[in-house]
Amino acid sequence: MKAKIWLSSPHMGGTEQNYIKEAFDANWIAPLGPNVNGFEKDLENYLEQDKNVACLSSGTAAIHLALVQLGVVLNDEVICQTFTFCGSSNPIAYQGAIPVFVDSEPETWNMCPLHLEAAIKNRIANGITPKAIIIVHLYGMPSKIDELLEVASKYKIPVIEDAAEALGSTYKGRKCGTFGDFSILSFNGNKIITTSGGGAMVCNTEEDKNQTVFYATQARDIAPHYEHSKIGYNYRMSNISAGIGRGQMEVLDKHIGLRRDMNAFYVDLFKDIKGVEVQKQPGSEFYSNFWLSCILIHEDAPFTKAQFQEAMDAENIETRPLWKPMHLQPVFKNPLYFGNKLSESLFKNGLCLPSGSNLTQEERDRILKVVISIK
Ligand SMILES: Cc1ncc(COP(=O)(O)O)c(C=O)c1O
């Protein structure tokens, strides 16, 4: 059996272990320390907008703490992009709040500003103003963030920007992860850079960062003993993981270049195959890190999605359907939903393809061979 070609596997730059060694040498084996501070500074510098970053144990934890800090409680409603991974929406349920799922527009596959406004109007007409809006830049593609923020500010609803998949992507030249009232990043093992597991909250003020760290470290009040007036969480990042992150920051831009090369490879590979569409940036304002390259296989293609998956699978090459929309997930029974079901057709026709920055020419050739054999 040939070695597995993964969608997106960790890709170390080479210096990660130096930072880990420093942590061991100084005995900073804890969820705080110089690597955590250093990684936060690296991210702040990278994002460029004078932000304050708090490193956390995961992107999901970051979304949870954003909801906590926006005062989301039992039975509140929170708007969330339906076409996403459950890490975006599950924290709504952690708070006992109710998700209101909003579907996508066709150009970026992210939240549609028109459906967003329809959802808000409907909920307000029902006497409930949603407490927050969770916007996602899925697969690294920036959403139509200006239009979405305009709707959010018209109704004065705060925005949580889920940039878990979009570190290094930009919209009108500005980095994703800098647009929200709170923005979140993920460094899970499959992401563009990884700390094995981890995430971050990007905050607009130092006060917000301090409050995020307060909630992430069990909400300990200032007192000589352990005093608590709020419920906190154990969500801070380990100093060892942060060491991996510091090393990864050194190669982030290089790895984005390599992912974009993978995308160009697929654009070329499928350019003459009728009915197969590679996801593309809708205009010059949108710069995707192409965390994952995705295709849609339409009815007029020479093969079906199932046939293509089977052929790739036979060669031990991973493919994966696009995210199943949250409004179709059994865990959210009869959810509130606004849109025209675009996400359902994306889920039906779409596949993610191997996209890692560490794929070799030999691995590309194996992918190419499958496509040639099946077209
Ligand atoms: C869109 C999106 N949101 C949230 C998350 C949650 O991040 P984490 O896995 O770090 O909890 C992920 C990824 O895993 C994601 O892809």
Side-chain angles (χ1 to χ4, degrees), residues 33 36-44 50-56 65 69 181-182 200-217 236:
V36 175
N37 301 339
F39 188 30
E40 289 175 346
K41 280 281 155 286
D42 290 347
L43 287 164
E44 287 166 7
D50 208 14
K51 298 286 171 176
N52 297 264
V53 173
C55 283
L56 301 173
L65 289 191
Q69 290 177 85
D181 291 279
F182 290 99
M201 182 87 88
V202 185
C203 303
N204 290 325
T205 64
E206 203 178 335
E207 202 185 345
D208 283 351
K209 175 187 167 166
N210 292 340
Q211 198 185 43
T212 300
V213 173
F214 167 77
Y215 278 111
T217 51
R236 198 71 162 122

Side-chain angles (χ1 to χ4, degrees), residues 204-253:
N204 290 325
T205 64
E206 203 178 335
E207 202 185 345
D208 283 351
K209 175 187 167 166
N210 292 340
Q211 198 185 43
T212 300
V213 173
F214 167 77
Y215 278 111
T217 51
Q218 305 288 24
R220 186 179 171 193
D221 296 335
I222 296 167
H225 55 276
Y226 277 80
E227 177 86 4
H228 303 281
S229 50
K230 297 231 162 61
I231 292 292
Y233 306 86
N234 185 5
Y235 279 170
R236 198 71 162 122
M237 179 180 278
S238 145
N239 194 54
I240 303 298
S241 303
I244 307 175
R246 289 181 85 182
Q248 290 270 278
M249 286 304 286
E250 295 176 16
V251 289
L252 172 56
D253 277 334

